[in-house]
Amino acid sequence: MAEDRTYIVVHYAELGTKGKNRAFFVGVLRRNIRRALSGLPLGSIRTSAGRIHVEILTPPDQPEVAEACRRLEKVLGIAWIARAEVLQGRPLDRLEQEAKDHFLEVLRKRPETCSFAVKCSRADKDFPVHSPEINRRVGSAVKLASGLDVDIRNPDLTLYIELLPDRLLYYCDRTEGQRGLPVGASARVLSLLSSGIDSPVASKRIMTRGCHVSFVHFHSVPYTQRASVDLTEELVRVLGAYQPRSELVLIPFAELQRKIALEAPSAIRVVLYRRYMLRLAEIVAKKVRARALVTGESIGQVASQTVENIAVIEDAATLPILRPLIAMSKEEIIREARVLGTYEISTQPYEDCCGYLMPNNPQTHAQLAEVLAAEEKLGPMTDLMRGTIDRAEERVFRGQERIRSGGGSHPVSPE
Ligand code: ATP
Ligand code: MG
């Protein structure tokens, strides 16, 4: 049958366990799917029996279908997707024949296949024939035609069949999704994004828990080159593929950093920088209505990230600080950064911070009393902080595309 439309089955594993809130989570996921597919010839999006069925109004071999699948692979909250063949109505006799033909066609491209299974799920409990019976009938037809062995537990190739109230679906290939929860199902958070390896991974991890992530980056222009800003923007573009819209706030930190470098004891400089970063981040968080801050900290990774220092840094914040990488090793984080596609960006060389801003002998066990005394000596920083926030720039992205930029009396990147 020549199909003029394509069905994509979307399975949401984790949402299936959400009890009474399930309808809410599924609603958020459906909205995100609709947004992700905007611009494509989208038909209906229907929820049925723990799955979402997405209809694309072109035949299966059209590029729009491949594009839709590519986009769905990045929608958080999806366990797997499958492009399904459809039989309208419920013609069991045709199912046997056509599902078998479909299986043989897939098999031709995979000659190494030795075993198979048929797995039928009967969403429509009124359907007169039960799943085991359908598995047997279709399985026998496939076995006869292919000569393959049946292996229910660990098959090389599986033919999936779904019985819905008004149609039958079948498919062989499932593509893994991102899993997790759909963006927007949890609160908005603000991620402190350096251009390093860790914070992009932390941002992605927290996004996978359903949080919409906004970003703040502190740069030291003119003491450093613009590269860290450009790299950060590139990182936001990569992360932007996983949520409908991303905001990046760029904060000129050089002046504050310079004052600390000149006036505070060198060993606790980094702790002081981080405390002021948190204070500024909280101002941004209020503006974007974020409920928590996110960092890429991991215990023991660098001198500033001992438990003692983390405690002293955190003392400057009132919002909760989420640290998804806290117990991860650098190797694990790098592995995730490579999969995410941020590793190559984060490791591009640039001048991180000019020498005199960074101490040679950072304190690994900062004492809160000493840090508070140093802040006392710096005097009131309110004006400096306000000036810093006033000169912040904002960039907004829809998916991976920048749609707006503004603010900042000293633009750091040419438009
Ligand atoms: P990363 O690889 O994310 O830069 P790191 O191991 O270099 O992490 P630090 O430089 O100690 O760690 O920073 C700890 C965390 O503080 C970062 O993960 C990030 O969340 C935040 N952070 C550090 N520098 C900046 C910055 N310039 N702008 C925004 N956030 C920052
Ligand atoms: Mg860093």
Side-chain angles (χ1 to χ4, degrees), residues 174-362:
R174 287 175 170 182
T175 309
E176 279 291 306
Q178 298 286 327
R179 298 187 179 261
L181 298 175
V183 171
S186 309
R188 180 184 291 265
V189 297
L190 178 67
S191 178
L192 280 76
L193 190 69
S194 71
S195 49
I197 296 168
D198 307 317
S199 40
V201 174
S203 306
K204 168 69 192 317
R205 281 206 156 209
I206 216 74
M207 233 180 240
T208 309
R209 300 320 303 157
C211 294
H212 183 134
V213 180
S214 298
F215 303 94
V216 62
H217 174 71
F218 299 89
H219 64 81
S220 306
V221 177
Y223 297 118
T224 57
Q225 301 157 347
R226 289 173 180 150
S228 86
V229 172
D230 297 337
L231 292 180
T232 306
E233 175 163 342
E234 263 197 68
L235 292 170
V236 172
R237 281 180 205 274
V238 173
L239 292 161
Y242 300 94
Q243 59 183 8
R245 187 186 149 98
S246 306
E247 302 82 23
L248 166 64
V249 176
L250 297 165
I251 296 194
F253 197 55
E255 222 176 298
L256 238 150
Q257 215 170 359
R258 184 164 172 271
K259 183 172 167 67
I260 295 169
L262 290 175
E263 298 177 24
S266 127
I268 56 169
R269 261 183 219 166
V270 175
V271 169
L272 289 168
Y273 295 156
R274 294 281 180 269
R275 283 170 61 90
Y276 282 99
M277 279 187 187
L278 288 183
R279 291 182 176 120
L280 292 165
E282 287 207 335
I283 299 174
V284 176
K286 207 173 243 170
K287 285 194 179 164
V288 301
R289 297 202 172 84
R291 299 297 181 92
L293 303 177
V294 181
T295 73
E297 287 162 310
S298 149
I299 293 173
Q301 199 189 89
V302 289
S304 60
Q305 294 176 22
T306 59
V307 175
E308 291 83 350
N309 282 358
I310 286 175
V312 172
I313 293 168
E314 179 176 87
D315 167 82
T318 58
L319 284 174
I321 301 176
L322 310 178
R323 301 179 181 89
L325 313 185
I326 198 67
M328 284 175 73
S329 70
K330 195 74 188 184
E331 293 82 67
E332 287 173 288
I333 298 169
I334 288 176
R335 209 177 305 133
E336 280 197 26
R338 283 189 194 278
V339 174
L340 181 59
T342 52
Y343 182 79
E344 285 69 26
I345 304 170
S346 297
T347 48
Q348 278 180 35
Y350 76 98
E351 194 196 347
D352 191 0
C353 206
C354 41
Y356 93 96
L357 293 175
M358 293 313 276
N360 299 324
N361 55 339

Side-chain angles (χ1 to χ4, degrees), residues 132-194:
E133 169 67 14
I134 292 176
N135 287 341
R136 256 196 310 276
R137 274 167 63 172
V138 180
S140 309
V142 169
K143 188 172 162 60
L144 201 66
S146 69
L148 295 180
D149 292 331
V150 176
D151 183 346
I152 304 289
R153 278 164 193 263
N154 195 19
D156 293 336
L157 192 58
T158 303
L159 173 61
Y160 297 95
I161 297 171
E162 296 189 12
L163 308 179
L164 300 174
D166 58 347
R167 55 197 151 157
L168 306 174
L169 304 180
Y170 57 91
Y171 50 88
C172 285
D173 289 312
R174 287 175 170 182
T175 309
E176 279 291 306
Q178 298 286 327
R179 298 187 179 261
L181 298 175
V183 171
S186 309
R188 180 184 291 265
V189 297
L190 178 67
S191 178
L192 280 76
L193 190 69
S194 71

Side-chain angles (χ1 to χ4, degrees), residues 26-42:
V26 174
V28 175
L29 180 57
R30 282 175 58 131
R31 190 188 64 200
N32 292 353
I33 288 175
R34 190 174 291 285
R35 280 191 189 157
L37 299 181
S38 74
L40 293 174
L42 183 63

